[in-house]
Each structure stands twice: as C-alpha cells, then as structure tokens.
C-alpha cells in the first residue's frame, strides 16, 4: 500500500508540472471548493441544532449502523443525509427521516458513489436503495 501511495504522489507531482496537469488540478480544486468544502465549512455541522439532532438520531437508532445493524461507540458513527444536504431546501436539512447512521467506511463509500451519480438520481435514491448498494460493496470486502 505504501508503494501505491508513493507512486500515486510521484505521478501527481509530475502531472502538476505540466500545463494540462495544472489546469486539471485547478478545475478539480474549483469543483471541490464549490461543493464538498462549502458543505463542510459553512458551519452547519457545528450548530447547536445539528448537534442535538445528531445526538437524537444516534439515540433513536441505538448506535447501530443502518447497513448491517452492528453496534458502535458514539465516535465511530456518522449521521448522514440519505439525500445529500446540498440538494435539499434549508427547511428539510434537519429532517430526521432523511438521516441515518453509517460507519466511516460506509460513509466514505457512499460519498464516492454519490460523486458518480446525477443530482436527479440522488434526489430519488431511497434508504433501501442505498442499503443495497452499500451492503453489496461490504459483501465484496469481507
């Protein structure tokens, strides 16, 4: 794994020295800044409302992840929006029916899948659909 990570970094460094590589990096940075960074740093996840709702969802779901029902410690779980928050109107962003508990690995996988899907698909993806997608991935890991 260390070899892979090192080779990937060397390749990225080499690519960043070309004009095309610099352009692609700037485009990727713009995309990240306008979507993911905005989502993380707009203060939403640091509000009292979010912290209370997050604690409520963890308690409601009994500290069990939504994919396979295993019990976890409080810090091991992420309260996740089934339909991404960026696609929701402000008044629906704290709706507990759109929130569930995922482990970090499950959340990371869901995020990577979300990047490949259109906004229309994401707006209509159900809890059951996501459960099937994430269970399928976990099946191949174990």
């Amino acid at each position: 794994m260390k070899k892979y990570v090192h080779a990937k970094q060397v390749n990225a460094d080499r690519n960043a020295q070309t004009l095309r590589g610099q352009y692609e990096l700037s485009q990727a940075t713009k995309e990240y800044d306008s979507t993911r960074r905005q989502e993380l740093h707009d203060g939403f996840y640091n509000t009292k409302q979010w912290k209370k709702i997050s604690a409520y969802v963890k308690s409601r779901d009994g500290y069990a992840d939504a994919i396979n029902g295993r019990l976890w410690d409080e810090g091991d779980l992420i309260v996740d929006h089934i339909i991404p928050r960026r696609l929701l109107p402000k008044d629906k962003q704290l709706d507990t029916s759109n929130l569930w508990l995922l482990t970090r690995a499950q959340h990371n996988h869901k995020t990577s899948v979300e990047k490949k899907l259109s906004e229309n698909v994401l707006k209509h993806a159900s809890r059951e659909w996501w459960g099937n997608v994430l269970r399928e991935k976990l099946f191949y890991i174990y």
Side-chain angles (χ1 to χ4, degrees):
M1 188 63 166
K2 286 181 183 179
K3 277 184 172 180
Y4 170 77
V5 170
H6 178 70
K8 188 174 177 180
Q9 184 61 46
V10 167
N11 191 33
D13 292 343
R14 188 178 316 125
N15 195 26
Q17 294 173 357
T18 66
L19 288 176
R20 182 184 183 108
Q22 291 170 2
Y23 174 76
E24 288 173 354
L25 180 60
S26 72
Q27 292 303 105
T29 301
K30 281 181 191 175
E31 173 69 18
Y32 177 83
D33 286 348
S34 67
T35 57
R36 186 74 178 136
R37 182 170 295 181
Q38 176 65 28
E39 214 172 86
L40 293 174
H41 297 288
D42 66 359
F44 177 83
Y45 295 107
N46 293 319
T47 63
K48 285 183 183 179
Q49 274 186 309
W50 173 254
K51 289 178 181 179
K52 284 182 180 180
I53 290 196
S54 178
Y56 165 76
V57 171
K58 288 177 181 181
S59 175
R60 175 194 74 187
D61 294 354
Y63 295 90
D65 72 74
I67 304 307
N68 57 29
R70 289 188 187 149
L71 297 178
W72 299 86
D73 289 332
E74 182 175 1
D76 296 330
L77 293 168
I78 296 171
V79 177
D80 178 64
H81 288 85
I82 298 167
I83 297 172
R85 186 173 70 91
R86 70 179 183 277
L87 302 177
L88 298 170
K90 289 234 185 253
D91 63 327
K92 298 286 186 190
Q93 293 181 1
L94 295 172
D95 180 7
T96 57
S97 65
N98 186 46
L99 298 173
W100 64 348
L101 295 177
L102 297 177
T103 65
R104 185 162 308 282
Q106 293 163 348
H107 184 265
N108 290 343
H109 179 60
K110 180 177 179 278
T111 301
S112 69
V113 172
E114 283 176 345
K115 290 178 184 177
K116 298 172 186 172
L117 300 174
S118 71
E119 286 187 4
N120 190 45
V121 171
L122 290 173
K123 285 180 184 178
H124 297 96
S126 68
R127 174 186 290 256
E128 293 76 25
W129 185 83
W130 274 116
N132 290 335
V133 168
L134 296 174
R135 266 190 291 283
E136 184 177 311
K137 166 66 174 163
L138 295 176
F139 176 75
Y140 290 117
I141 290 175
Y142 298 113

